[in-house]
Amino acid sequence: MAMRPSRRTLLKAATATGLAAAGLGTAGCGALTREVSGEQLRSRARLPAPFRVPLPVPVTATPTRGPDGTDHYELVQRAARAEILPGLRTEVWGYNGRFPGTTLVGRSGRTTTVRVRNELPVPTSTHLHGGVQAPDSDGSPLDLVLPPGYASGAGSSAHSGHGAHGSQAGHMRTRPGDWTYSSGAKTYTYPLDQPAATLWYHDHRMDFSAPQVWRGLAGLFLVHDDVEDALPLPRGEKDVPLMICDRAFEEDGALRYPSLDPSLTGEPGVEDAYMEGVTGDVVLVNGAPWPELEVSATRYRFRILNTSNARRYRLALEPGPREGAAFVQVGSDAGLLDRPVTHDSLPVAPGERFDVVVDFAGYPVGSTVTLVNTLGTGGTRSVMRFRIARRERETSRVPERLAGVAAARAERAVAERRFDFRLTSGSGGELWTINGRPFDSARVLARPKLGTVERWRFSSDFHHPVHLHLAHFLVVARGGGSPLPSDAGWKDTVDVRPYEVVDVLVRFRGHRGRYMVHCHNLEHEDMAMMANFEVV
Ligand code: C2O
Ligand code: CU
Ligand code: CU
C-alpha cells in the first residue's frame, strides 16, 4: 500500500494542527479546508468545448419476473470502448460494458436479485449503496467475485494483497477467515424493504475500489413505491438522473489515474501526491463531458448523485431563477423527504444523493441555464447546461407534504458512540484511520442491537464523507448547532467537514451481521479509512 511517509502529507498534517490550535479550523482558509482534495489530475487529451454533447440518460434494464414475483437482473462486468471525449475512444470497465452502468429499477417490498458476472481481469465486489440487504448480499470488500480461473493462476495474484497472508505489511489487516470468494459470478439478493429512493451500485473491492470505480464500475438503482407514485412530481422524461463525476484523460483518450500498479493486481494505492483523493479536470454527467439538456419551460425532477472518487461540489444555477429557490429538494439519500426543502446552492459530497425539482418556467425560451459547481475553478466550475427549448403546459407540482418520515425523530438513542476520522502517522507512514486505527477485518468498532437507534458522533480533520452500509440516519447536529438545510431527511452518507463534529441518529433495522462504516472519499477508503460494525 502507498504508505510510505510523504513529506507533503506530513506538511499538511502540521498545517492542520496549526490551524486547529489557532481555532481557525472551519474557516475557509488554508490547504486543508480547500474544497478540492489532493492534486488535480490534468488531462493530456484535447478537451471538448463545454455543452456540445447532449446529456445521455443511462439505459434502463428490464428484469425477468420469477414465478414467486421476484425480479431478476443480470449484469456482466466487462471492458468496453466508449466515446466519452468526442472523436476519442476510452476503455471503460462497465456493468454490461456501460459507463454509467445499466440502470436497475426495483419496487419497494419486492425482492430483486442481481447476478453479476465478472469478465474483468481483476476481482470485484458489487455493493448496493443505500440498500438494506443481508451481509452476504451487501457487496463487502471482503466478499470477492474472482474472474473465472483467477485463483488458480500461477503465483496466485488473486490473493496478492487479498488476505491469503492474513494481513498486509503496515496497512489494512485482514484474516483469511474473513474473506469469501465466488468464482466467475455471484447473485446478490435485495429484499428492498425500504421506501422509494435513488440508490446506486458500485465496485467495492478491498484496496482497489477507487481505481475500479474510476474505470466505470458504477450505476443507478432506483427504488419506486406507491407513496412516490401518488405524488404529482415531474415524471417520465422529466425525471432525470444526473450522475456527476470527474475524470482525467490521456492523450489517446484512456482514463488517467495515478495507480502504483495500473494492472490493479499487485500493490494497491496511489502516488503520494494523490493521497488526499483523486480529482480530474473533466466533469462528466451520466458519462458525458459538460453535456447539455434541452428542456421545456416546466418543472423537472433531477436525481443528483455524486459518484466522484473525491470531488465535492456546490451546485448552483447561473443565472438563478427570477423567483423562488434554484432547487426544491424532495428526496435525500434514503428516500423522499417529509416536506420539500429549498436551496439556492447545494453541497454534494461523494456518495450523496439529492433528489430535486428545478422549475424552468421563469426562463425565456431560447435561453440557457448553467449548472455550476461553485467550488470548482476553470473547467471544473461548469457541470452541464440546460437549454430552454419550448413552452409546455405544466402538469406537475411539488406538494407541501411528500412522505411521512418525520416521526422517527422522536425515537430514542440507546447508546452513544464516537468515530474520529483522521490521518494518523504510524511506523509505515501515514494512513487514513477511524479512531486512530486502520481497517482490521477482525475488529468490530460497534455492536448495535437490531431494532434500536443509536447516536453516533463523527469528528474529522478533513472533508470526510462518512457512509454507513445497511443503516440509515438523520443528521441531528453539526458543530453542536443545527444541521444544514442539505442534511434533511434519511441519509446514508454525510459530509463531515474539517474539525467539525456531526451527530447522527442511526436506525439499525432489517438485518443482523457485519457491515462497513467508511469514508466515501474512495482513496481514503482504499487507504484504510474503514471499519466494521456488527448488528446483533
Ligand atoms: Cu458507496 Cu461502502 O459504499
Ligand atoms: Cu454503501
Ligand atoms: Cu475521508
Side-chain angles (χ1 to χ4, degrees), residues 127 129-130 139 141 200 202 204 351 467 469 493 516 518 520 522 525:
H127 169 57
H129 180 130
W200 62 298
H202 63 80
H204 218 314
H467 170 55
H469 288 207
T493 309
M516 296 277 167
H518 65 84
H520 220 287
L522 296 181
E525 176 195 316

Side-chain angles (χ1 to χ4, degrees), residues 53-55 57 237 240 242 291-295 300 302 360 384-389:
V53 183
L55 175 79
V57 174
E237 289 196 335
V240 186
L242 302 179
E292 186 178 83
L293 177 67
E294 267 197 8
V295 294
Y300 281 71
F302 294 115
F360 294 105
M384 66 174 290
R385 189 165 80 177
F386 303 100
R387 173 174 295 280
I388 310 348

Side-chain angles (χ1 to χ4, degrees), residues 34-292:
R34 76 180 188 276
E35 307 287 349
V36 170
S37 54
E39 291 288 316
Q40 178 172 292
L41 273 176
R42 254 177 222 295
S43 292
R44 294 173 173 143
R46 231 187 109 96
L47 299 179
F51 321 130
R52 296 289 166 81
V53 183
L55 175 79
V57 174
V59 176
T60 299
T62 311
T64 53
R65 176 75 46 86
D68 58 346
T70 301
D71 282 342
H72 303 284
Y73 287 104
E74 236 190 271
L75 293 173
V76 183
Q77 298 175 310
R78 56 181 174 85
R81 310 210 124 218
E83 185 173 343
I84 298 174
L85 301 178
L88 289 175
R89 295 278 152 189
T90 302
E91 186 184 289
V92 295
W93 285 1
Y95 294 96
N96 293 343
R98 294 174 191 276
F99 165 58
T102 312
T103 298
L104 306 181
V105 180
R107 191 83 197 166
S108 181
R110 181 192 293 158
T111 299
T112 295
T113 72
V114 180
R115 181 158 183 83
V116 179
R117 222 166 65 224
N118 182 3
E119 292 183 358
L120 294 168
V122 297
T124 61
S125 173
T126 303
H127 169 57
L128 179 60
H129 180 130
V132 179
Q133 55 263 344
D136 61 353
S137 276
D138 194 46
S140 154
L142 297 155
D143 185 9
L144 299 181
V145 180
L146 306 177
Y150 191 84
S152 55
S156 187
S157 51
H159 301 293
S160 77
H162 272 129
H165 325 295
S167 74
Q168 286 176 56
H171 190 47
M172 297 203 245
R173 287 172 180 285
T174 62
R175 288 179 314 184
D178 292 332
W179 291 84
T180 45
Y181 301 98
S182 317
S183 188
K186 176 178 164 92
T187 301
Y188 298 88
T189 301
Y190 308 127
L192 301 186
D193 181 14
Q194 56 190 109
T198 305
L199 311 183
W200 62 298
Y201 62 95
H202 63 80
D203 188 63
H204 218 314
R205 176 188 172 199
M206 177 70 84
D207 291 324
F208 294 96
S209 298
Q212 297 192 173
V213 170
W214 186 270
R215 289 185 193 198
L217 292 173
L220 279 152
F221 193 119
L222 306 180
V223 182
H224 298 302
D225 68 7
D226 297 346
V227 174
E228 181 192 34
D229 286 352
L231 293 172
L233 296 172
R235 58 179 73 228
E237 289 196 335
K238 295 184 181 180
D239 175 355
V240 186
L242 302 179
M243 183 193 268
I244 304 172
C245 63
D246 58 337
R247 294 290 187 269
F249 297 86
E250 301 289 358
E251 204 174 346
D252 63 355
L255 287 164
R256 269 200 93 181
Y257 186 86
S259 284
L260 294 177
D261 173 4
S263 77
L264 309 186
T265 55
E267 187 179 6
V270 292
E271 294 163 18
D272 281 346
Y274 301 93
M275 184 166 177
E276 287 169 18
V278 178
T279 55
D281 58 357
V282 179
V283 180
L284 305 177
V285 185
N286 298 343
W290 303 291
E292 186 178 83

Side-chain angles (χ1 to χ4, degrees), residues 376-418:
T377 50
T380 62
R381 196 171 183 282
S382 299
V383 176
M384 66 174 290
R385 189 165 80 177
F386 303 100
R387 173 174 295 280
I388 310 348
R390 58 191 178 278
R391 305 235 144 250
E392 208 171 74
R393 201 173 62 86
E394 181 62 85
T395 54
S396 75
R397 64 189 176 86
V398 181
E400 293 268 297
R401 290 208 67 106
L402 296 161
V405 292
R409 285 185 184 278
E411 284 174 327
R412 274 271 187 66
V414 299
E416 213 176 291
R417 303 178 202 269
R418 269 198 88 123

